[in-house]
Amino acid sequence: MRGADTVAELVRRQWGDHRIGLRDEHHTLTHHQVAAGAAARAALLVDLMPPRPGGEPHLGILLDNTPEYPLWLGATALAGAAVAGINPTRRGAELARDIRHTACRVLVTQRAHLPLLDGLPLPGVRILVTDTDAYRELLGPYGSARPGDARLGPVRPDSRFLLSFTSGSTGAPKAALCSQGRLAAAGASLAAHFSVGRDDVHYICMPMFHGNAVIADWAPALAAGAGVALRARFSASRFLSDVRGFDATYFTYVGRAVQYLLATPPTAEDHVHRLRLGFGTEAGAVDAARFRERFGVPLVEGYGSSEGGASIQRTPDTPTGAVGRAAPTDDLVVVDAETGRECEAARFSPTGRLLNAAEAVGELVNRGRSAFEGYWRNPEAEAARLRDGWYWTGDLFYRDADGYLYFAGRTDDRLRVDSENLAAAMIEHILARWEPAAGVAVYAIPDPVAGDQVMAALALREGAVFDPAEFAAFLAAQQDLGTKMPPRFVRVTPELPLTATNKIHRVALRRASFLCEDPVWWRPTQGAPYEPLTPAAAATLRAEYARHGRIPEFTDR
């Protein structure tokens, strides 16, 4: 299929196509009906946003994954407007800040989310509630609209289309800009890379306010003319029944969704489906192998920030554990953030274990021309991202002698133990090999004197119990577990806390530290056996922090 310069052109192509294009558990729409629905909403949007000085053509969407979400995405593209995906897990002043910061003049939501908006100061924001008679009556007169009939502004490749919030685990989230041209190109690239065709069905179970679902799932389906199936919210227990019911062939994942799928009880029909591919990030090599063995579906780990500043492409010869090589348009290097010097190439043992993590792990930087289009009204964040003419990703990687890149975590997740820098993700990948563990999170808590100490949270498989001697023996057997890497504290928890995008909520874990309600095991001295952390031992630790004048947030409880 010929490429398209804009998302609007891709929406227009659906007109006249009467194959099934969009489904959820309650609705089935043809591609033509999707295009017609987008055109009707575009015409309504134009009437709701008359030109005014300083009035940006921005629409906020505060919805679960219902058909209204992609319909309004299409409408916004046709109208030459822009969408801000609003995170429904935000609350109060933070939620109001997101809506006001992105200059939303119209907010599309549903009745279930109305309590979130009660009492929020949102002056000048028109709120549309999709599952009401008033909304249907408002939309009714526009039913005969055709794609392209109504526009708020020019529709060009450089037209602003998405204001995509970053995760925002620390501080206010930033709204990364994405143009129609960049999203259309990303969709076409992924569709070609994964051979997406008109008979494919993309299952979108990740939240659509996040870039993963829109850029990596909806956009390639739109580019290829494939179908889309929606799950309002991710559900591990309904995943396989959805995949079968929708005849899905492709899905995306983020963070720990794969672990939750693996934690569901196995069945004799785990291979009975048409699913051929999962594409996402942070599954880890161990869980990816388990997923393929159990469900017969390969997981392809990808990398491409919502900001578009760097991308890595996987090729058939990519080694196990690697993400891939730099895209042809990028000049990616791994550098020491303090010196700016390129890190050493990774060296591996005969079994594939990284031997020189301290010298090889650094921040991934794009020295070439970047597709980064900036942040909405945040010049400070742009300046931090673009330094010395380079695009700094904020992610840790290492690179082998052949140029293949391996993800090692976020720069914010780096630990400094006894003056040695460690990447939390690398320790997690090692701990994930422990069979009783269903989920692993590694994070830093302050050392009473200087630097950090390593703490791990373990969610165990059903029926498993934490055996401290068995866990210590496992650690001792891992040849790539450096002497500074073993966790001093181990929190055993029923489930790991997650953000709305299924990423581990490390901020919550760090704040709770060892003063949490879950059982915590610890080593009083390096190499000692793990033992329960008693209230008396915790009090002694808190006193040690006080003696050294280090009063972390968690000790003030």
Side-chain angles (χ1 to χ4, degrees):
M1 181 179 291
R2 180 180 58 85
D5 293 330
T6 64
V7 177
E9 182 179 344
L10 294 174
V11 175
R12 288 195 296 269
R13 287 182 183 178
Q14 295 180 296
W15 188 265
D17 185 344
H18 297 285
R19 296 175 302 119
I20 293 176
L22 178 63
R23 294 179 63 190
D24 71 355
E25 58 184 328
H26 305 295
H27 309 86
T28 298
L29 301 177
T30 66
H31 287 285
H32 177 81
Q33 288 172 319
V34 171
R41 286 158 180 79
L44 171 59
L45 191 61
V46 169
D47 283 350
L48 292 177
M49 287 189 183
R52 71 184 190 201
E56 299 288 346
H58 290 182
L59 167 79
I61 302 183
L62 178 63
L63 292 172
D64 293 336
N65 289 0
T66 69
E68 289 287 346
Y69 212 121
L71 288 173
W72 275 105
L73 286 175
T76 308
L78 293 173
V83 165
I86 306 299
N87 182 346
T89 68
R90 302 271 282 174
R91 294 292 185 271
E94 292 183 342
L95 179 60
R97 176 263 176 199
D98 292 350
I99 298 167
R100 293 198 307 268
H101 173 67
T102 46
C104 295
R105 295 172 61 186
V106 174
L107 179 68
V108 179
T109 189
Q110 61 197 80
R111 284 185 293 181
H113 293 327
L114 284 179
L116 302 179
L117 303 173
D118 283 348
L120 295 189
L122 299 172
V125 179
R126 175 73 180 268
I127 297 175
L128 305 183
V129 186
T130 58
D131 47 351
T132 62
D133 291 337
Y135 173 78
R136 286 184 282 272
E137 291 171 4
L138 184 66
L139 191 58
Y142 301 93
S144 61
R146 298 171 66 92
D149 282 354
R151 290 184 180 179
L152 287 162
V155 176
R156 302 188 302 253
D158 62 351
S159 296
R160 186 187 310 140
F161 180 56
L162 293 180
L163 293 89
S164 183
F165 281 112
T166 60
S167 298
S169 57
T170 58
K174 303 177 290 290
L177 300 176
C178 179
S179 64
Q180 289 213 30
R182 182 159 77 86
L183 187 62
S189 176
L190 285 171
H193 188 69
F194 292 128
S195 301
V196 178
R198 288 161 58 87
D199 293 333
D200 277 297
V201 178
H202 285 214
Y203 176 55
I204 302 181
C205 55
M206 295 292 101
M208 294 193 73
F209 67 79
H210 189 255
N212 167 274
V214 174
I215 297 171
D217 216 342
W218 180 72
L222 190 66
V228 167
L230 302 174
R231 163 58 56 189
R233 297 182 183 182
F234 173 73
S235 169
S237 63
R238 304 183 75 167
F239 178 84
L240 272 183
S241 60
D242 277 353
V243 164
R244 296 189 189 105
F246 295 132
D247 209 18
T249 59
Y250 173 105
F251 79 104
T252 61
Y253 59 87
V254 177
R256 293 305 182 255
V258 168
Q259 290 183 349
Y260 281 90
L261 293 172
L262 289 171
T264 58
T267 74
E269 297 185 334
D270 282 346
H271 281 243
V272 181
H273 51 72
R274 203 164 70 95
L275 199 62
R276 64 180 180 86
L277 176 69
F279 176 56
T281 61
E282 301 178 35
V286 171
D287 284 340
R290 289 171 176 166
F291 194 89
R292 183 164 193 165
E293 179 181 0
R294 176 172 166 185
F295 299 109
V297 180
L299 298 182
V300 177
E301 287 282 295
Y303 179 85
S305 61
S306 299
E307 292 90 339
S311 60
I312 298 173
Q313 292 184 348
R314 186 177 183 86
T315 54
D317 56 347
T318 298
T320 300
V323 180
R325 283 174 163 157
T329 55
D330 291 344
D331 179 16
L332 302 185
V333 291
V334 178
V335 303
D336 183 308
E338 295 180 0
T339 66
R341 291 195 296 268
E342 191 166 349
C343 294
E344 293 182 8
R347 291 184 284 105
F348 301 96
S349 73
T351 57
R353 309 286 172 83
L354 180 64
L355 299 176
N356 61 333
E359 298 77 24
V361 175
E363 185 168 352
L364 185 69
V365 172
N366 187 357
R367 300 184 300 193
R369 184 178 177 182
S370 151
F372 178 53
E373 295 175 309
Y375 294 113
W376 174 251
R377 293 180 177 172
N378 198 333
E380 295 82 6
E382 285 188 25
R385 190 65 74 187
L386 297 172
R387 305 195 305 273
D388 303 322
W390 296 355
Y391 176 88
W392 296 73
T393 66
D395 291 321
L396 300 173
F397 274 80
Y398 52 99
R399 188 175 193 165
D400 66 20
D402 296 319
Y404 290 100
L405 291 157
Y406 299 71
F407 182 69
R410 297 281 301 167
T411 53
D412 290 342
D413 297 331
R414 173 162 264 181
L415 304 85
R416 190 165 180 83
V417 180
D418 293 340
S419 301
E420 183 174 325
N421 290 323
L422 307 174
M426 296 186 63
I427 305 175
E428 286 177 358
H429 292 162
I430 296 171
L431 300 190
R433 301 171 193 154
W434 193 46
E435 188 61 32
V440 178
V442 171
Y443 47 100
I445 64 170
D447 181 90
V449 179
D452 301 316
Q453 294 185 353
V454 182
M455 185 163 183
L458 301 179
L460 302 183
R461 299 187 184 281
E462 186 175 358
V465 295
F466 181 75
D467 183 322
E470 177 189 327
F471 182 68
F474 161 80
L475 295 178
Q478 307 310 302
Q479 297 180 358
D480 53 343
L481 189 72
T483 58
K484 311 296 185 184
M485 292 182 177
R488 186 183 187 195
F489 299 91
V490 178
R491 172 180 176 176
V492 181
T493 183
E495 58 183 20
L496 299 174
L498 300 178
T499 67
T501 55
N502 286 296
K503 295 183 178 181
I504 291 175
H505 201 323
R506 298 180 193 277
V507 173
L509 289 170
R510 285 193 290 263
R511 285 175 179 165
S513 69
F514 52 76
L515 302 178
C516 57
E517 296 181 357
D518 293 323
V520 173
W521 297 75
W522 77 309
R523 283 174 157 168
T525 58
Q526 186 176 5
Y530 283 102
E531 61 184 54
L533 180 67
T534 64
T540 300
L541 282 169
R542 294 173 71 167
E544 187 178 359
Y545 281 102
R547 281 199 308 274
H548 292 283
R550 297 196 91 192
I551 311 295
E553 179 182 355
F554 66 77
T555 63
D556 191 28
R557 296 205 304 271

